[in-house]
């Protein structure tokens, strides 16, 4: 039932993510255990960081940031947003953060330290353009079709959407990079893999991704993603337009 | 960002369109995966009137609506196999064969009982209908009939309860229904937020969908009953997202359930049981056990506490409180169902730290504990249970752990209960008697293996 995931610095694909449910707090800093009350902790070991530097509070599907430092401004970037960011002034409490992906940047004695916070349960309009009401039957997956992860999912599903046999092999990482590059010049194996991992979180295939090791099990995850996405029409034929015309001898 | 269709599932059918013996009349509604029209039969067959539900499954249907075929098949599968008085009846299934109308050609058409209106229509006009309790009995009957046949509804809400011309209620819209495989089914990943139980909000998903269980429908029934009786939803909030968050906070134990103060006590207890925060706590309250309680509440009679002997063996209720594990998970201490919270006078959820040891055993129950002196995990029963592992009211730990203490906190003749002593057995179905425990006895026990069944009796 968590809605917010905090990724400790330097541990992007481990199982050490911290998850927060509505109303839960996480205190970060050099010595977050000093903060009173019940909360989760993220220790950032750097002398330039305050003992209690800030607090994240999960609020439904989004989160708020309190800057508990009295001197320094924190910046929250949207890593996919082309420079989009917000500033959280010293001492500001409960500043709402609207990004699905966010990177909190802390200035610390000449260094810039950062860690990521995801809000994978953001709601999006489904097939019906009206604002959903509580009594309307709605699909359970809310994806932002403008995000890179959606393009990655479409590219993963492409062979099977184009009527390739159901057992056709899924695209390799290199093929995915090639396919996505026209719309996403910076695509690389690792960024594509990052998005695949995130999709598993997004589609709730797992509370956090289940396979810290590269290799065979990742293929299993790709298979699961594709079969879930196709089974429940998360990705449909007309989404292929997103990728541009099919290239090469693929089909 | 999204597919721009206005009404993705609407199927326009002109008035007077002929489909076999049926002449299409006026639209009754669109959405919910199809369009529904009135229809009148132009031969002498029966019924003379029907509702035709057109599902856009035709050859011209864009591939992106492919999942509709599966949803249509679910509904047809269920309706052609399950017939019960409180379920809307399927008379026939037709496929449109009309190449001159490509938008219709190939559509699946369900010929259904024609209803007068829906419960949603009724609530729109009068938020707390006088016939509400009566309708809830009929809805509960429908749920019972459906569950007994091995199906889940999956989308119980006022719009899916139809009212017939005699005013009676029938369950409808089985697109999301699922057949049980053992104890659970896979839902097709659509749901109605205000009627979704906490465990399926952002729950894990398997490749075949999300696992749902009969308790999913029981939760929805609790929400629906609260709405019908009070005019408000049980979880507070101005938007579906706010109510969803309130549901999550309630399920995590950070907020108590605050039902409307207008609810009469017997309804309050029923709704509280239906809205128990976890599947495990809801599980004892199946449709079969709710139905007599709902009937009694609707008749206005305070549900009488029938003596044990008057009810069948499987009346057993309540189990599965595992205080240690839940407290560790930050959920506070759930003692057990609060069906008869006479011991302390307060619900365990609103007094999360008050109950320890033997005190967790509610009046009227027998309780077994995994540790001496009423400590550890607890399983409790109000009635008899002939199979602790597979019966109606199971003990979640009995296949791994052996109870170390027991408390017979049963009621007695002063409350109309002649069977006051408890006999428990090593085998299921009351085989291999271990011991008999008089009323008000609490003691530590030393057993080689966990009991498997018990029965209340008049004398040891």
């Amino acid at each position: 039932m968590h809605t917010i995931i905090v990724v400790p610095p330097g541990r992007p694909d481990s199982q050490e993510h911290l998850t927060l449910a509505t109303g839960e707090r996480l205190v970060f800093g050099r010595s977050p255990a000093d903060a009173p009350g019940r909360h989760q902790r993220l220790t950032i070991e750097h002398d330039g960081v305050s003992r209690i530097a800030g607090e994240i509070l999960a609020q439904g599907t989004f989160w708020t940031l309190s800057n508990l430092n009295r001197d320094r401004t924190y910046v929250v970037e949207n890593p996919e947003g082309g420079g989009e960011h917000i500033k959280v002034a010293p001492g500001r409490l409960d500043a709402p953060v609207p990004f699905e992906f966010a990177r909190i940047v802390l200035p610390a004695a000449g260094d810039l330290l950062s860690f990521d916070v995801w809000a994978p349960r953001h709601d999006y309009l489904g097939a019906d353009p009206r604002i959903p009401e509580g009594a309307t039957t709605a699909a359970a997956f809310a994806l932002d079709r403008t995000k890179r992860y959606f393009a990655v999912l479409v590219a993963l599903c492409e062979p099977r959407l184009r009527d390739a046999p159901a057992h056709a092999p899924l695209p390799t990482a290199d093929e995915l990079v090639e396919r996505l590059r026209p719309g996403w010049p910076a695509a690389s194996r690792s960024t594509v893999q990052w998005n695949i991992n995130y999709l598993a979180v997004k589609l709730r295939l797992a509370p956090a991704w289940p396979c810290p090791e590269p290799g065979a099990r990742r293929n299993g995850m790709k298979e699961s993603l594709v079969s879930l996405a196709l089974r429940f029409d998360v990705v449909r034929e007309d989404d292929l337009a997103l990728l541009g015309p099919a290239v090469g001898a693929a089909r | 960002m999204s597919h721009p269709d206005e009404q993705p599932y609407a199927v326009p059918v002109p008035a007077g369109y002929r489909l076999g013996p049926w002449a299409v009349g006026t639209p009754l509604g669109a959405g919910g995966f199809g369009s529904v029209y009135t229809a009148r039969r132009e031969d002498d067959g029966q019924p003379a009137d029907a509702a035709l539900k057109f599902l856009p499954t035709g050859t011209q249907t864009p591939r992106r609506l492919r999942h509709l075929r599966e949803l249509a098949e679910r509904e047809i599968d269920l309706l052609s196999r399950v017939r019960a008085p409180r379920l809307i009846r399927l008379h026939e299934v037709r496929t449109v064969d009309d190449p001159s109308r490509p938008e219709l050609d190939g559509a699946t058409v369900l010929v259904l009982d024609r209803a007068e209106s829906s419960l949603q229509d009724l609530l729109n006009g009068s938020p707390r209908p006088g016939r509400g309790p009566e309708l809830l009995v009929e809805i509960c009957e429908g749920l019972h009939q459906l569950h007994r046949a091995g199906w889940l509804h999956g989308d119980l809400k006022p719009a899916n309860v139809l009212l017939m011309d005699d005013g009676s209620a029938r369950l409808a819209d089985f697109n999301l229904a699922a057949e049980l495989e053992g104890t659970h089914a896979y839902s097709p990943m659509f749901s109605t937020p205000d009627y979704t139980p906490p465990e399926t909000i952002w729950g894990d998903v398997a490749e075949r969908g999300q696992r749902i269980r009969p308790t999913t429908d029981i939760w929805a029934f609790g929400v629906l009953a609260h709405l019908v009786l009070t005019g408000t939803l049980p979880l507070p909030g101005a938007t579906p997202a706010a109510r969803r968050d309130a549901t999550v906070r309630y399920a995590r134990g950070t907020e108590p359930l605050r039902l409307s103060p207008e609810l009469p006590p017997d309804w309050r207890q029923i709704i509280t049981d239906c809205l128990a925060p976890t599947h495990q706590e809801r599980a004892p309250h199946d449709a079969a056990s709710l139905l007599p309680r709902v009937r009694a509440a609707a008749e206005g009679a305070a549900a009488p506490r029938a003596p044990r002997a008057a009810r069948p063996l499987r009346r057993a209720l309540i189990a599965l409180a595992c205080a240690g594990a839940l407290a560790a998970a930050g959920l506070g201490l759930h003692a057990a169902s609060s069906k008869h919270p006479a011991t302390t006078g307060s619900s365990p959820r609103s007094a999360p730290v008050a109950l320890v040891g033997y005190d967790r055993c509610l009046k009227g129950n027998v309780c077994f504990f995994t540790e001496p002196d009423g400590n550890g995990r607890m399983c409790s029963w109000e009635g008899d249970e002939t199979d602790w592992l597979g019966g109606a009211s199971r003990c979640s730990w009995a296949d791994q752990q052996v109870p170390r203490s027991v408390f017979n906190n049963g009621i007695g003749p002063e409350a109309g209960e002649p069977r006051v002593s408890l006999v428990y057995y090593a085998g299921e179905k009351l085989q291999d008697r271990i011991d008999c425990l008089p009323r008000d006895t609490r003691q530590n026990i030393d057993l080689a293996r966990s009991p498997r069944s018990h029965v209340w009796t008049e004398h040891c």
Side-chain angles (χ1 to χ4, degrees):
Chain A
M1 283 184 277
H2 65 267
T3 56
I4 302 299
I5 298 174
V6 177
V7 184
R11 280 169 261 164
D13 26 50
S14 71
Q15 291 185 307
E16 296 169 61
H17 299 155
L18 303 162
T19 58
L20 305 183
T22 290
E24 276 192 307
R25 299 191 301 147
L26 175 141
V27 173
F28 59 89
R30 183 157 42 86
S31 177
D34 294 354
R38 278 184 57 192
H39 52 77
Q40 300 196 48
R41 298 175 197 123
L42 173 61
T43 304
I44 300 174
E45 289 167 11
H46 190 292
D47 288 343
V49 174
S50 314
R51 286 186 309 111
I52 301 170
E55 181 183 292
I56 288 167
L57 175 64
Q59 294 270 19
T61 59
F62 70 99
W63 53 283
T64 59
L65 174 65
S66 294
N67 180 349
L68 302 180
N69 189 299
R70 293 188 183 279
D71 306 315
R72 292 178 207 147
T73 296
Y74 295 164
V75 174
V76 182
E77 298 174 348
N78 176 1
E80 284 201 10
E84 188 181 26
H85 68 278
I86 57 172
K87 289 181 177 176
V88 180
R92 167 73 200 269
L93 300 179
D94 295 325
V97 178
F99 310 135
E100 179 169 346
F101 306 113
R103 182 162 296 153
I104 299 181
V105 182
L106 311 172
D111 289 333
L112 286 178
L113 307 173
S114 69
F115 62 94
D116 289 354
V117 182
W118 304 339
R121 302 288 162 255
H122 275 194
D123 290 323
Y124 292 94
L125 216 49
D128 189 323
R130 292 166 298 184
I131 292 176
E133 292 168 29
T136 310
T137 304
F141 298 116
L143 271 71
D144 181 351
R145 289 164 189 268
T146 67
K147 284 276 193 304
R148 279 179 194 141
Y149 61 67
F150 191 72
V152 172
L153 185 60
V154 174
L156 264 177
C157 296
E158 183 178 25
R160 295 198 187 161
L161 276 175
R162 291 198 194 275
D163 286 328
H167 55 268
L170 296 177
T172 64
D174 288 330
E175 285 165 349
L176 287 172
V177 170
E178 208 51 43
R179 190 72 184 93
L180 291 161
R181 193 159 274 158
W184 178 17
S188 69
R189 285 178 66 122
S190 67
T191 51
V192 166
Q193 187 58 51
W194 186 93
N195 278 280
I196 290 172
N197 289 337
Y198 183 75
L199 281 164
V201 174
K202 185 82 184 165
L203 297 185
R204 309 206 304 269
L205 268 178
W209 49 69
C211 35
E213 300 149 47
R217 291 189 62 199
R218 277 215 171 119
N219 292 330
M221 185 161 72
K222 284 203 295 197
E223 275 292 340
S224 299
L225 279 175
V226 169
S227 69
L228 185 71
L230 294 180
R231 183 179 176 89
F232 297 110
D233 284 288
V234 177
V235 174
R236 301 165 182 168
E237 218 168 353
D238 43 3
D239 292 316
L240 289 172
L242 206 79
L243 299 175
V247 287
R251 267 125 290 263
Chain B
M1 186 175 93
S2 176
H3 297 277
D5 327 34
E6 275 296 320
Q7 284 279 349
Y9 305 116
V11 184
V13 186
Y17 187 78
R18 285 292 302 261
L19 182 75
W22 299 100
V24 172
T26 52
L28 287 170
F33 311 119
S35 296
V36 185
Y37 293 84
T38 64
R40 174 160 273 284
R41 209 173 166 117
E42 302 210 321
D43 59 12
D44 295 334
Q46 285 295 320
D49 287 296
L52 303 193
K53 182 170 183 173
F54 287 78
L55 297 158
T57 51
T59 47
Q60 294 293 306
T61 302
R63 188 179 174 124
R64 60 189 168 74
L65 294 183
R66 202 175 25 150
H67 62 291
L68 283 175
R69 193 176 295 279
E70 191 187 341
L71 295 177
E73 281 163 7
R74 274 177 193 268
E75 181 153 23
I76 293 166
D77 192 24
L78 185 153
L79 287 171
S80 52
R81 285 161 58 188
V82 183
R83 285 189 167 233
R86 293 289 174 215
L87 307 184
I88 208 84
R89 179 163 304 179
L90 176 72
H91 297 286
E92 56 175 326
V93 180
R94 290 179 170 268
T95 305
V96 179
D97 181 13
D98 188 351
S100 69
R101 289 182 181 274
E103 76 283 2
L104 274 181
D105 192 32
T108 304
V109 184
L110 277 57
V111 181
L112 299 158
D113 277 344
R114 165 91 185 271
E116 277 302 299
S117 61
S118 73
L119 178 58
Q120 184 65 58
D121 300 331
L122 180 67
L123 294 176
N124 290 346
S126 60
R128 291 160 45 180
R131 292 178 45 240
E134 199 183 315
L135 292 172
L136 290 172
V137 171
E138 296 172 1
I139 295 164
C140 193
E141 286 171 353
L143 216 47
H144 179 44
Q145 290 161 5
L146 193 63
H147 287 185
R148 198 173 43 190
W151 285 77
L152 306 184
H153 190 286
D155 198 17
L156 181 65
K157 59 179 176 178
N160 291 344
V161 174
L162 297 185
L163 303 179
M164 311 310 287
D165 54 5
D166 64 355
S168 66
R170 290 190 192 172
L171 305 189
D173 265 317
F174 298 101
N175 295 306
L176 304 188
E179 190 169 16
L180 282 164
E181 302 172 10
T183 59
H184 61 273
Y186 288 92
S187 83
M189 295 312 296
F190 290 86
S191 63
T192 300
D194 281 338
Y195 297 85
T196 302
E199 68 272 12
T200 64
I201 296 177
W202 303 310
D204 287 357
V205 176
E207 270 177 46
R208 295 177 55 197
Q210 195 163 33
R211 279 172 54 148
I212 58 170
R213 293 171 283 211
T215 56
T216 304
D217 285 344
I218 298 297
W219 173 278
F221 180 77
V223 175
L224 190 142
H226 193 275
L227 182 67
V228 166
L229 295 170
T230 70
T232 59
L233 292 164
L235 276 306
T239 65
R243 292 190 288 272
R244 181 181 59 195
D245 290 341
T247 307
V248 171
R249 287 196 302 272
Y250 160 59
R252 294 184 62 243
T254 52
E255 259 179 37
L257 187 63
R258 294 188 183 94
L259 300 179
S260 167
E262 297 168 24
L263 280 175
D266 38 0
W267 279 112
R268 170 175 300 274
Q269 197 55 58
I270 289 167
I271 292 173
T272 304
D273 290 341
C274 291
L275 298 182
T278 63
H279 157 73
Q280 285 80 2
E281 289 165 280
R282 232 174 290 134
H285 309 291
D286 56 9
S289 75
L290 283 171
L291 186 53
R293 298 173 60 197
V294 170
R295 281 188 180 135
E299 283 162 13
R305 271 197 61 114
R308 277 195 190 95
R311 295 211 209 162
L313 281 179
R314 63 180 303 281
R315 190 174 61 107
L317 285 172
I318 309 164
L320 306 171
C322 44
L326 288 176
L331 292 171
L333 191 148
H334 303 234
S337 158
S338 51
K339 189 182 176 215
H340 298 294
T343 319
T344 63
S346 67
S347 148
R349 285 192 70 76
S350 60
V353 291
L355 299 174
V356 293
Y358 284 122
D359 288 344
R360 291 179 288 157
C361 187
L362 298 180
K363 190 70 193 166
N365 288 351
V366 60
C367 304
F368 287 83
F369 307 87
T370 58
E371 303 294 334
D373 305 317
N375 291 312
R377 301 169 77 185
M378 175 176 87
C379 281
S380 63
W381 290 268
E382 191 194 15
D384 304 330
E385 178 56 69
T386 56
D387 184 358
W388 279 25
L389 299 184
S393 179
R394 292 169 204 177
C395 181
S396 63
W397 44 260
D399 56 341
Q400 290 133 17
Q401 286 180 279
V402 179
R404 294 281 172 234
S405 54
V406 59
F407 179 19
N408 176 353
N409 195 18
I411 49 172
E414 74 288 348
E417 178 54 73
R419 298 194 297 147
V420 297
S421 303
L422 187 98
V423 190
Y424 55 102
Y425 301 83
E428 61 189 46
K429 298 190 180 131
L430 314 183
Q431 294 181 17
D432 299 334
R433 175 180 153 133
I434 299 173
D435 199 2
C436 179
L437 204 63
R439 188 179 165 207
D440 289 331
T441 311
R442 47 178 86 181
Q443 61 184 218
N444 291 335
I445 48 179
D446 184 15
L447 303 176
R449 51 170 286 200
S450 172
R452 289 282 189 268
S453 57
H454 67 258
V455 65
W456 294 91
T457 183
E458 292 186 22
H459 308 286
C460 271

